[in-house]
Every structure is written in C-alpha cells, then in structure tokens.
Amino acid sequence: MKKENIQSDFNFCRPLDFQKKIDVSKFRFFFKKLLFKKNDISQKHILFLVTELYSCWNESEEQFLAVSMSKRGYRAKSRYNPNKISSHLILAIRLLKKEGLIDFYPGFFDVKKKVSRLSRIRASKDLINEFKKINLNFSDFLNIKTRETIFLLDKKNNLVEYKDDFFTHEAREVLINYNYNLSKTFFDIACVEKPFFIRGDNAKVPISHFCCINKIVFKETWRDGGVFGGSWWSKIDPFSFNKLSSHMLINDEETSYVDLMSIFSTLLSFKSEIHLNDIETELTFLKKKTFFIKNLNQLSYLIVKAINSKTLKGFFRSFCIDRKKIGIKEKVSQKEFEIFLDDFKKFSPKLFNLINSKHSFNWNSIVSDIFYGLMKNFGTSNIPAILVLDKIFYPTKIHNNVTNYLYNFISKYSNHKKIQLKFQKCYAYNFGEKSSIFESLIGNNLKYSNRFLENK
C-alpha cells in the first residue's frame, strides 16, 4: 500500500451531485482522448463523472467522491436526477480507473461490526494535470435554473417522488431567484488558509463556490416546514461558528449578522405555551447546575434535542453524537447525563414534560421559515443575505432593511410585545473608515488568507 493512501482521509468526501450541468464543450480535451469511441449513453456518464471529478477537485484536492458500485445506488427516473444518470456510471468508473484517470479505493461492509463505506474516487495526477489546463467557472456546472431545490424525505430519510402543487412551484421560484443572487455573491471566511475548515467532530468541510447552492429539505410533509441545506456554510457547527463567525464576509464588505438564538426562549414560550419568564429562569439555573454546559446556546440546542427525541436513551445517543459539534469537549458518562436529566426534571418540570409529549419544536425549521420569508421579502432585489446555523448574515449597509423585516415577521410567531434581537458586526479588514478605534485596531492586525484572496 502506498504511503499517501495510508494518510488519506476517506471521511473527507461527498456524495455525487446528480444535478450537475454536463457540457461536451467544457472538456473537449477529454473527448479527443477517450470518448469518441463510446456510445451516447457511455459518453454522457463519462462526461458527468469527469464534471464531478473536476468540481470535487476544485472544492479541495484532498476530497473524495463517494460512489456506489451497486445498481441499487442509482435512480435514473428520479426527479432529483435530471441527467438520468443510471448504473452505467459504474462502467464509467471502471473505464476511468483502467485508463489511470482516477484513484479508486473500494468500499466494504463489515458484517460483525456492522460498519460499511461506499467506494471512494478522486482525480488522479494525470487527470489533475489536464484540469489545470482549463479554467471553468462554478456557474458552468451548477445549472441553477433547472436543478431541483425542493426535497422531500420519508421517515427513513429516503427521497420521495412528490407531485408539484402551488406551494412547491412558489418555493422553487423563490429558491431559483435566491440561488441566482448567490451566484453573484462572494461569501467567504477571510482568515481560513486551507480550502476547508474543521468542525468540532473533526470533519473537514470544503469552502468553495462549487458548494453554494441552497435547497430546502422537508420531512414527510410540507406542513412542518423545511430546513435549508446544500451549501458549504450549512455544514458549519456551533463549535466552528464560534471561531470563524467574525471573519465571515459578504462581498468583502462590512458584514453583520443577527442571532436568532437570542429569541429562542421567546419562540419556545409561544410554541409550548409555557411562560417566558419561567423558561428563562429555568434555563439559567439549569446551566449553572450542569458542569459540561458553558453557555445558554449549548443548553438551548440540548433542549431542542430533548423535545424532539422519542426516548431519553435516544436523547443520550444524539447528545453523544453531536456534543463535540455543540462545543462540549468533556466526555460525559451515562451516569453524569442521568444526573443532568434529574436536574432538568427537578428545576424545569414544564420543559421536561415536553419530552415524549405530542409537542414538537423544530428549531431549524422555525429558523428556516424566518429566513425563507426574508428571501421572499427581498425577492429579485439582489440583496444578499445568508443563513448560517441560526444566524443571518447580511451587508451592514442594509441593516435597517433586515431589522424592519425581522421584527415584523417574528411578531407573528410570538404574542410578546418586546422582542430583543441580538446583532453582531463581523471584523473589519480593509473597508476604509472604521466605525470605532477598537475596530481600527483589530482591522490593522487582520490579514486575509492567501486562499481568500485567490477566491476573491
């Protein structure tokens, strides 16, 4: 085995994006070398695979594509597969492997440990050398106007082939306009040098304009609201957000964000019909009693998990999976977690009773609904706003537009007259005049990363 294979991070991968725009003219060099000998179906699948390899390489040279080598991994007739990519892709993978154009690492399934992994591929050095001869824009591949942006999942998180109605047509139109605006927007993290950042769970997330398409994912029904995803910033966790948020810039201009977590208790009170003062008092006290919780944001995320968990055991499993992403470094034993649950039940009985009740509180859906309303409000005005976790980033110059909308819209969610949103300015880099001496001092000490400057 090669030494570089041992050092490869096979967890740094993404699935195939079956909605990539494929175009023969983009890869003429490749057709001259290989594809003219193949039939139309093979050409289409090879071209799609090369398109994905090029996109994956642009996102990060270290990243892999996860591919299925089984016919069951492909649904050519799905609405989420406009190119009708079928199991013919397996033949394309084998051909590129034979020609030495991809690095291929087979998947596996361990029956005893019940652990599996799809096969991994990425462009070989020879193919990368060909890629370096061309310079294609991300908009050449993302196919914004025709790609599916509304996703529906069943209970087992499988894609559902739904029928269109007025709601899906409207939502799709809103997403199309928004993604078009995103294609003209430069959103990046000015301080990150590598083409990726590392989350609390050590997962690498590429920062790339090839990963800037937003979609809305619904679970089982349209009624409960969807959750935004698809872009690189939708994969940020609270741990990495705390480190990077102040360095996130829109169009390299003064940028601010509003923290919707600042009204978490208000919205929870409205949804659960528990008095706001009771929630705020109980959460504050519970935070002080729990050794592994450092701030109210962490506790709020755990409250959401608790309410939406079917059992207390499921709550503990979910906590163990996500604790590092939330920013909880300490290992928490099951006994220590049970102590936390006892305190939860003792000092916050009304909230605790929401567990296993008919109530649900999908915080991500509420946040997405607020942001979706903002997108509809801005419409085709080309005003860039970006949702990261439960924070909305926007150019500081449109602060009044954003705040006016948010206070009007959120008032529909709550009967509380006083809603206090928390706003934060990102660091100033070289925006000219600084609004304060403190910002000027910070700005003088900040330097753009080389990666940021190249992307800009």
Side-chain angles (χ1 to χ4, degrees), residues 187 197 199 205 211 213-215 227-237 386-389:
F187 181 59
F197 64 88
R199 296 191 315 203
V205 177
C211 315
I213 292 294
N214 270 258
K215 61 184 179 183
V227 176
F228 274 84
S231 58
W232 63 261
W233 53 84
S234 67
K235 300 175 183 177
I236 290 178
D237 61 340
I386 293 172
L387 178 66
V388 184
L389 282 177

Side-chain angles (χ1 to χ4, degrees), residues 159-373:
L159 288 171
V160 175
E161 303 294 327
Y162 63 86
K163 292 183 179 180
D164 280 307
D165 55 21
F166 176 80
F167 169 78
T168 60
H169 281 298
E170 181 192 58
R172 189 175 296 108
E173 191 65 27
V174 171
L175 264 293
I176 288 173
N177 289 332
Y178 178 66
N179 283 325
Y180 177 71
N181 289 337
L182 275 183
S183 70
K184 299 184 293 182
T185 301
F186 177 51
F187 181 59
D188 209 317
I189 310 175
C191 66
V192 176
E193 190 63 55
K194 293 185 178 181
F196 56 82
F197 64 88
I198 300 177
R199 296 191 315 203
D201 60 355
N202 291 324
K204 298 175 183 175
V205 177
I207 307 171
S208 171
H209 298 296
F210 282 79
C211 315
C212 65
I213 292 294
N214 270 258
K215 61 184 179 183
I216 304 180
V217 182
F218 295 84
K219 192 72 176 288
E220 298 184 60
T221 175
W222 309 119
R223 294 192 306 272
D224 298 332
V227 176
F228 274 84
S231 58
W232 63 261
W233 53 84
S234 67
K235 300 175 183 177
I236 290 178
D237 61 340
F239 171 81
S240 52
F241 181 88
N242 289 336
K243 296 194 301 180
L244 303 173
S245 58
S246 295
H247 300 274
M248 296 179 183
L249 305 177
I250 297 177
N251 294 330
D252 197 17
E253 298 175 351
E254 284 193 58
T255 302
S256 301
Y257 66 86
V258 54
D259 186 359
L260 297 181
M261 184 59 79
S262 59
I263 56 171
F264 173 84
S265 297
T266 301
L267 298 182
L268 178 57
S269 171
F270 176 71
K271 286 286 186 177
S272 63
E273 299 181 352
I274 301 174
H275 197 277
L276 175 61
N277 291 338
D278 292 340
I279 291 177
E280 291 180 337
T281 301
E282 291 169 3
L283 291 183
T284 300
F285 191 80
L286 189 57
K287 182 187 79 70
K288 292 180 179 179
K289 285 285 295 181
T290 310
F291 78 94
F292 55 84
I293 295 176
K294 301 298 186 293
N295 54 65
L296 286 175
N297 279 7
Q298 290 178 340
L299 181 57
S300 298
Y301 288 129
L302 289 183
I303 295 298
V304 173
K305 281 185 175 297
I307 295 174
N308 295 319
S309 296
K310 295 181 179 179
T311 64
L312 293 178
K313 288 184 178 180
F315 178 29
F316 179 63
R317 285 196 301 270
S318 180
F319 167 79
C320 292
I321 292 171
D322 289 341
R323 69 173 177 84
K324 290 184 179 179
K325 290 194 289 185
I326 296 174
I328 298 175
K329 297 181 180 180
E330 298 89 345
K331 289 184 178 181
V332 180
S333 67
Q334 186 169 348
K335 185 176 181 180
E336 290 170 328
F337 194 77
E338 288 173 354
I339 294 174
F340 161 69
L341 291 177
D342 289 338
D343 289 337
F344 187 7
K345 185 176 182 179
K346 179 179 179 181
F347 299 110
S348 187
K350 292 181 180 179
L351 281 178
F352 188 84
N353 288 337
L354 294 179
I355 304 175
N356 295 329
S357 70
K358 294 182 180 180
H359 283 85
S360 64
F361 185 66
N362 193 330
W363 173 245
N364 291 332
S365 291
I366 294 173
V367 169
S368 293
D369 190 39
I370 294 172
F371 185 69
Y372 178 78

